[in-house]
């Protein structure tokens, strides 16, 4: 219990000494200090209000950008699907021709194997 009492007394004495040292070390009078604190508080409030307004504007811009980008992504995906389908339709006849040629080559290889045996 005595340790807590000593700690408490030390905190109080230290707080008093710190307060007195601050008052003596302050280069301006109490009125001037209060005036400066008021000015600084107003500047801080203005800065906070400005940050709040800018953060709201940023949030709104992000929402707008997200909506616009989702539309662009949909358009691009639709165009890509259309292009792939068109490509598949264009290569279909060539694919069939290539399959025929492969079958012919396989047939000729088989005939050549028979001839060589």
């Amino acid at each position: 219990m005595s340790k807590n009492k000593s700690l408490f007394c030390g905190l109080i004495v230290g707080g008093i000494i710190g307060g007195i040292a601050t008052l003596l070390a302050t280069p301006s009078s109490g009125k001037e200090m209060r005036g400066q604190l008021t000015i600084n508080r107003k500047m801080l409030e203005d800065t906070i209000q400005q940050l709040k307004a800018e953060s709201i504007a940023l949030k709104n811009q992000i929402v707008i950008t997200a909506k616009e980008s989702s539309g662009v992504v949909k358009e691009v995906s639709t165009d890509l699907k259309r292009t792939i389908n068109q490509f598949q339709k264009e290569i279909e006849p060539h694919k069939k021709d290539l399959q025929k040629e492969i079958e012919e080559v396989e047939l000729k290889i088989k005939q050549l194997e028979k001839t060589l045996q």
Side-chain angles (χ1 to χ4, degrees):
M1 192 67 140
S2 66
K3 286 184 181 182
N4 289 336
K5 190 175 182 181
S6 297
L7 177 65
F8 184 69
C9 287
L11 287 174
I12 291 192
V13 170
I16 292 171
I17 292 173
I20 292 171
T22 302
L23 288 175
L24 294 175
T26 304
S28 56
S29 69
K31 285 184 180 181
E32 290 176 2
M33 182 59 77
R34 285 191 298 272
Q36 288 175 351
L37 289 174
T38 302
I39 291 170
N40 288 341
R41 181 183 54 83
K42 288 180 181 178
M43 288 175 50
L44 181 61
E45 287 174 351
D46 291 343
T47 302
I48 289 172
Q49 289 297 326
Q50 183 180 1
L51 287 173
K52 183 179 176 184
E54 288 176 0
S55 65
I56 290 171
L58 178 62
K59 182 191 84 158
N60 292 337
Q61 184 62 40
I62 288 172
V63 168
I64 291 169
T65 303
K67 287 179 182 178
E68 290 176 355
S69 64
S70 68
V72 170
V73 168
K74 287 178 183 177
E75 286 180 27
V76 168
S77 66
T78 303
D79 288 346
L80 186 60
K81 287 178 184 177
R82 188 171 14 99
T83 302
I84 289 172
N85 288 335
Q86 182 181 359
F87 176 73
Q88 287 176 342
K89 287 178 183 176
E90 289 176 0
I91 67 166
E92 189 63 35
H94 300 292
K95 185 178 168 182
K96 289 178 182 178
D97 289 341
L98 284 174
Q99 286 176 344
K100 285 181 183 177
E101 288 181 18
I102 289 172
E103 289 173 1
E104 289 175 3
V105 168
E106 287 177 347
L107 183 65
K108 288 182 181 181
I109 289 175
K110 287 180 184 177
Q111 287 175 353
L112 196 81
E113 286 176 348
K114 285 182 183 179
T115 308
L116 290 176
Q117 289 179 359

